[in-house]
């Protein structure tokens, strides 16, 4: 009895060559639809599946392989006497090799104008059923879902007439990963269509982008995965123009940098170290913005990650080239800027699309034994119900400084205090166990520049000690959420020093 192979693929790359090799090895080839036509048109002998099932394709091809003549051949234990007897009784022949890939559901729903009907029609039923059956029965069946495996399978078939159990096991595992990812995309699409935020189960799928040399530390293994159909405004979808491979910490820091820089529409530059901003600057040009970010903290920026929201020109590139930086991220670089920056061998240059800053993707954080999900903190100054809590109204300059501080402070690890003027950060206090400690760090860093500056806090003041520290440093404006039972004490203290203080009603914790 001839061995049988069933070939039914939407991705036809390499399938013709694979089929011809199987034909040379003496396999009878079964196929359907477009795959069968492609093979026949190129001179390969193919048996239609409906000739095997004795039943035509029906319902526009929705039903064609869901038949005992096919699935009996896929699921039969070929060395089991009972199974052999039933196969003989019903005229079922075993299928030894299965090569199937699925309707292009991901590609379909990625189209901006896709209809629900089109998406539903691209949910494959027969393909996953055949793959799962073959993978379950991999003790006897070689199942292929990825064209990159054709060559290795053919190598074993030519050498020994069969594949090894180890290979079949590996391929079966790949199949179940593939169908699980496929189902995850479908369930995600339908869940979103249904408007469910927290379903009883949630399944995400990610695709390997690259193995990493190590994780946070050299003794930790790591890899980088990207989310299918994710936002182009992400490090996962960035284009690297120059430099060595990104590290685990590079990716984390780069992500932190772009999350901050997207807060701004005017030219802005952000410097990040250890996932906290060490300098943020704005200006009339991107060169001016970077100059401000550099001046914000010229010490910490060394070895940092820079994100800019406008094209990097030659003037900016010349400034960037003067210091040691790990990564520069921007929408684009001029040819002259690239020529200048690529002279630095180790610097990484990345471009990302600033046109697709999706705000609807949920943030996920893994914890031991579980996963936390939340909406991104997209709440901005324009969304807040601002109230002036003190006697004095802010000046225009103070409003501008507070808006900048409020945009930055939500990206600083809590407890967080940020001191700013109209165009740049001048002090950042991050991740302290008490608020006055964070304020002292930010104010010390600001030094004399704190005089006439604004102070932004990610959460309310539990006591008036932060206002006291700010006043002594020369701060004239404070922006904070308010809501403490001791707000009156902070308001009184601010009024004593002539500080204007506004409440936003919203906190920006970032743990």
């Amino acid at each position: 009895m001839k061995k049988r192979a069933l070939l039914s693929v939407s991705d036809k790359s390499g399938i013709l060559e694979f089929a011809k090799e199987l034909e040379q090895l003496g396999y009878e080839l079964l196929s359907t639809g477009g795959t069968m036509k492609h093979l026949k048109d190129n001179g390969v002998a193919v048996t239609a599946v409906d000739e095997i099932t004795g039943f035509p394709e029906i319902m526009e091809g929705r039903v064609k392989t869901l038949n005992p003549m096919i699935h009996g051949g896929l699921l039969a234990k070929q060395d089991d006497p009972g199974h052999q007897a039933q196969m003989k009784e019903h005229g079922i022949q075993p299928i030894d090799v299965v090569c199937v890939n699925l309707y292009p559901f991901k590609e379909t729903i990625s189209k901006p104008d896709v209809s629900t009907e089109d998406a539903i029609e691209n949910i494959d039923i027969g393909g996953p059923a055949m793959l799962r059956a073959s993978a379950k029965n991999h003790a006897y069946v070689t199942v292929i879902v990825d064209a990159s495996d054709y060559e290795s399978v053919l190598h074993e078939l030519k050498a020994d007439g069969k594949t090894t159990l180890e290979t079949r096991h590996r391929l079966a595992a790949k199949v179940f990963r593939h169908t699980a990812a496929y189902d995850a995309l479908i369930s995600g699409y339908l869940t979103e269509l249904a408007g469910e935020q927290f379903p009883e189960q949630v399944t995400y799928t990610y695709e390997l982008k690259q193995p990493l040399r190590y994780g946070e530390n050299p003794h930790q293994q790591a890899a980088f995965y990207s989310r299918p159909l994710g936002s182009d405004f992400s490090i996962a979808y960035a284009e690297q123009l120059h430099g060595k491979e990104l590290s685990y910490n590079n990716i984390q820091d780069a992500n932190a940098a772009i999350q901050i820089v997207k807060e701004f529409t005017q030219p802005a530059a952000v410097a990040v170290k250890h996932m906290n901003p060490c300098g943020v600057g704005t200006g009339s040009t991107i060169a001016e913005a970077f100059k401000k970010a550099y001046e914000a903290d010229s010490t910490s920026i060394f070895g940092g990650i820079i994100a800019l929201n406008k094209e990097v020109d030659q003037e900016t590139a010349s400034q960037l080239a003067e210091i040691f930086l790990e990564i520069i991220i921007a929408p684009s670089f001029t040819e002259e800027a690239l020529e200048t920056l690529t002279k630095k061998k180790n610097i990484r240059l990345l471009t990302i699309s600033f046109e697709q800053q999706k705000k609807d993707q949920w943030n996920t954080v893994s914890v031991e034994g579980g996963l936390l999900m939340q909406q991104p903190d997209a709440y901005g100054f324009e969304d807040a119900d601002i109230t002036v809590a003190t006697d004095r109204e802010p000046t225009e300059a103070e409003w501008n400084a507070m808006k900048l501080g409020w945009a930055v402070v939500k990206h600083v690890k809590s407890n967080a205090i940020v001191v700013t003027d109209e165009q740049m950060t001048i002090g950042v206090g991050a991740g302290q166990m008490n608020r006055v400690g964070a304020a002292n760090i930010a104010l010390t860093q600001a030094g004399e520049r704190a005089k006439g500056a604004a102070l932004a806090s990610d959460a309310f003041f539990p006591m008036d000690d932060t206002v006291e520290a700010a006043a002594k440093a020369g701060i004239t404006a404070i922006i904070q959420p308010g809501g403490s039972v001791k707000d009156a004490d902070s308001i009184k203290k601010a009024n004593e020093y002539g500080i204007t203080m506004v409440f936003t009603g919203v906190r920006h914790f970032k743990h």
Side-chain angles (χ1 to χ4, degrees):
M1 186 182 298
K2 263 191 170 185
K3 288 190 173 184
R4 276 182 168 175
L6 193 159
L7 312 178
S8 180
V9 294
S10 58
D11 175 11
K12 295 179 176 56
S13 56
I15 191 63
L16 179 60
E17 295 76 13
F18 184 63
K20 286 180 176 180
E21 293 282 4
L22 289 176
E23 190 177 36
Q24 287 292 318
L25 290 169
Y27 279 79
E28 179 187 4
L29 304 182
L30 315 182
S31 192
T32 63
T35 306
M36 181 174 67
K37 182 178 184 306
H38 177 63
L39 297 178
K40 281 188 172 182
D41 288 349
N42 285 278
V44 178
V46 185
T47 302
V49 163
D50 58 13
E51 292 182 35
I52 304 300
T53 63
F55 202 95
E57 292 185 16
I58 60 173
M59 301 175 184
E60 300 174 306
R62 282 189 168 199
V63 180
K64 49 194 172 190
T65 58
L66 298 170
N67 186 285
M69 300 300 289
I70 298 299
H71 283 270
L74 297 176
L75 286 165
K77 297 179 182 178
Q78 295 181 19
D79 56 1
D80 183 287
H83 284 210
Q84 288 180 336
Q86 290 177 48
M87 291 172 71
K88 184 176 182 180
E89 178 185 354
H90 298 290
I92 297 171
Q93 291 187 37
I95 298 174
D96 306 279
V97 174
V98 172
C99 181
V100 171
N101 51 53
L102 308 176
Y103 293 171
F105 182 78
K106 182 178 78 170
E107 292 76 11
T108 300
I109 63 172
S110 68
K111 299 174 185 175
D113 56 348
V114 64
S115 66
T116 303
E117 181 183 7
D118 194 19
I120 297 299
E121 282 306 309
N122 277 276
I123 297 176
D124 203 331
I125 301 301
M130 289 189 291
L131 285 173
R132 289 172 61 84
S134 305
K136 174 178 178 175
N137 203 34
H138 69 272
Y140 311 94
V141 181
T142 302
V143 57
I144 307 165
V145 75
D146 185 348
S148 67
D149 291 310
Y150 292 164
E151 186 177 346
S152 61
V153 167
L154 285 172
H155 178 77
E156 291 188 14
L157 292 177
K158 289 176 181 178
D160 302 313
K162 62 180 181 179
T163 56
T164 65
L165 180 58
E166 181 183 13
T167 293
R168 295 195 298 275
H169 187 91
R170 176 180 61 82
L171 294 173
K174 193 171 190 177
V175 162
F176 281 113
R177 292 195 300 271
H178 184 76
T179 56
Y182 193 78
D183 285 343
L185 287 173
I186 295 168
S187 67
Y189 175 81
L190 294 177
T191 299
E192 185 176 337
L193 206 63
E196 293 188 70
Q197 284 192 336
F198 299 111
E200 73 289 345
Q201 291 178 316
V202 62
T203 305
Y204 292 119
T205 183
Y206 294 87
E207 298 170 351
L208 180 65
K209 182 175 175 67
Q210 66 189 76
L212 301 174
R213 286 182 297 147
Y214 54 82
E216 283 182 297
N217 300 290
H219 61 273
Q220 295 171 274
Q221 293 183 341
F224 187 23
Y225 286 80
S226 62
R227 187 170 178 177
L229 308 179
S231 169
D232 286 347
F233 184 78
S234 69
I235 299 304
Y237 288 89
E239 180 183 0
Q240 186 164 347
L241 306 180
H242 177 72
K244 60 185 180 182
E245 184 180 281
L246 297 178
S247 71
Y248 182 99
N249 293 331
N250 287 157
I251 294 165
Q252 291 268 53
D253 286 336
N255 179 64
I258 65 171
Q259 298 310 314
I260 302 170
V261 82
K262 77 176 183 182
E263 297 283 345
F264 302 93
T265 54
Q266 74 271 41
V270 173
V272 163
K273 287 289 285 293
H274 306 295
M275 295 182 66
N276 276 305
C278 59
V280 177
T282 61
S284 58
T285 66
I286 199 65
E288 183 184 353
F290 175 70
K291 184 173 184 292
K292 294 291 184 181
Y294 173 77
E295 290 172 349
D297 187 347
S298 59
T299 300
S300 298
I301 199 173
F302 184 84
I305 280 74
I306 307 298
L308 308 109
N309 64 352
K310 306 296 179 186
E311 182 175 66
V312 176
D313 55 19
Q314 177 57 32
E315 182 183 359
T316 312
S318 296
Q319 293 181 54
L320 292 162
E322 289 179 1
I323 57 176
F324 168 63
L325 299 169
E326 289 276 1
I327 303 172
I328 302 171
I329 309 159
S332 57
F333 297 79
T334 66
E335 288 186 15
E336 295 81 6
L338 274 178
E339 185 178 351
T340 295
L341 292 169
T342 52
K343 291 175 182 177
K344 298 174 76 71
K345 181 180 178 181
N346 291 324
I347 197 169
R348 290 98 157 172
L349 304 179
L350 276 64
T351 59
I352 60 172
S353 171
F354 276 70
E355 302 303 315
Q356 293 194 24
Q357 297 181 28
K358 292 183 181 179
K359 292 186 177 181
D360 56 350
Q361 291 193 343
W362 290 66
N363 294 333
T364 58
V365 178
S366 62
V367 295
E368 188 75 28
L371 185 76
L372 288 170
M373 290 178 56
Q374 69 170 352
Q375 289 178 312
D377 184 1
Y379 202 97
F381 189 87
E382 67 282 355
D383 303 308
D385 184 15
I386 301 291
T387 58
V388 179
T390 51
D391 296 338
R392 185 172 73 81
E393 291 279 336
T395 65
E396 182 180 355
E398 287 170 337
W399 277 121
N400 291 336
M402 287 190 291
K403 288 177 183 178
L404 174 57
W406 189 243
V408 174
V409 76
K410 75 177 184 180
H411 297 282
V412 180
K413 297 291 186 181
S414 299
N415 288 314
I417 295 290
V418 173
V419 179
T420 58
D421 63 18
E422 288 189 83
Q423 290 190 298
M424 59 191 277
T425 57
I426 53 180
V428 179
Q432 298 306 300
M433 284 60 73
N434 64 76
R435 193 151 303 281
V436 73
N440 287 334
I441 291 172
L443 293 166
T444 299
Q445 183 185 1
E448 288 297 309
R449 296 185 296 177
K451 292 178 180 178
L455 180 147
S457 175
D458 64 338
F460 62 62
F461 299 155
M463 297 179 185
D464 63 7
D465 49 5
T466 301
V467 179
E468 180 80 33
K472 289 180 177 178
I475 295 292
T476 61
I478 293 174
I479 183 169
Q480 57 131 320
S484 168
V485 295
K486 293 187 176 183
D487 272 350
D489 293 346
S490 292
I491 295 168
K492 180 181 177 183
K493 185 67 67 175
N495 283 327
E496 285 178 13
Y497 286 100
I499 293 175
T500 182
M501 183 163 63
V502 303
F503 290 169
T504 63
V506 175
R507 77 182 189 195
H508 280 315
F509 276 162
K510 184 178 178 64
H511 286 90

